[in-house]
Amino acid sequence: MKRPLNPEDLFELKIVSDPQISPNGKSIVYVETRMDPVTNKYCSRIWIVSTCGETEPQQFTSGPCLDFAPRWSPDGKWLAFVSTRRGHPQLWIMPSTCGEAEPLTNIRYIGGIPVWSPDSRTIACVVHVSAEGPEEDQGRKKTPIQRFQKM
């Protein structure tokens, strides 16, 4: 029987976006976005699924934040992504075999999508910088190198 759409139905909707095939072609990561019924805010997580269809999709990241823009390293060992785990969007990295994610940046805003170098050793991304010059972080000015060092 048909029924009208209810506001609560929004909590059941899943938006799937940004599929990325692994370099070896065996896996796909994608972003799943949902509305959290407790906070009434969107949250997005990265999921992984095999391309052969033999396994169920598995949640790759978790938490009440926004995880998005996943990108495989060319060697397939790492996954870089942007996350709001610490408030502002930051660049994070984790092994492609799962494990703990680690922050790569500690600056005000990361914009856009991370891009790996062909040798999988470096990542480029857009950084929003103010016209006033270097950012202040906890009252101290940091050089660009200090801002991108692991925390």
Side-chain angles (χ1 to χ4, degrees):
M1 181 166 128
K2 293 182 180 181
R3 67 171 180 80
L5 188 66
N6 293 321
E8 293 78 27
D9 292 336
L10 291 176
F11 297 119
E12 300 302 318
L13 293 177
K14 296 178 186 178
I15 301 166
V16 175
S17 62
D18 203 7
Q20 300 293 314
I21 299 174
S22 64
N24 66 10
K26 294 183 179 182
S27 300
I28 299 171
V29 292
Y30 60 92
V31 178
E32 181 184 285
T33 304
R34 304 180 79 165
M35 177 70 82
D36 185 328
V38 176
T39 63
N40 205 31
K41 293 182 181 181
Y42 285 104
C43 62
S44 60
R45 297 180 182 104
I46 298 169
W47 287 68
I48 188 167
V49 65
S50 69
T51 54
C52 65
E54 294 177 359
T55 61
E56 291 292 317
Q58 296 179 338
Q59 191 172 323
F60 201 70
T61 63
S62 61
C65 56
L66 298 173
D67 292 339
F68 56 97
R71 295 297 182 266
W72 296 95
S73 62
D75 63 10
K77 294 180 180 178
W78 299 96
L79 191 73
F81 61 97
V82 179
S83 179
T84 61
R85 295 165 188 235
R86 294 190 173 164
H88 297 299
Q90 299 294 320
L91 187 59
W92 290 70
I93 190 170
M94 66 188 298
S96 62
T97 56
C98 291
E100 292 294 319
E102 294 185 36
L104 285 184
T105 58
N106 186 21
I107 54 179
R108 277 200 197 117
Y109 294 102
I110 295 291
I113 297 168
V115 178
W116 286 90
S117 64
D119 64 2
S120 299
R121 295 184 61 201
T122 56
I123 302 172
C125 62
V126 174
V127 178
H128 296 274
V129 193
S130 69
E132 290 81 38
E135 295 183 12
E136 289 199 32
D137 188 357
Q138 300 172 354
R140 312 180 309 211
K141 293 198 183 237
K142 291 186 172 186
T143 67
I145 292 173
Q146 290 169 329
R147 288 187 279 167
F148 284 94
Q149 288 177 337
K150 278 191 166 185
M151 300 176 349

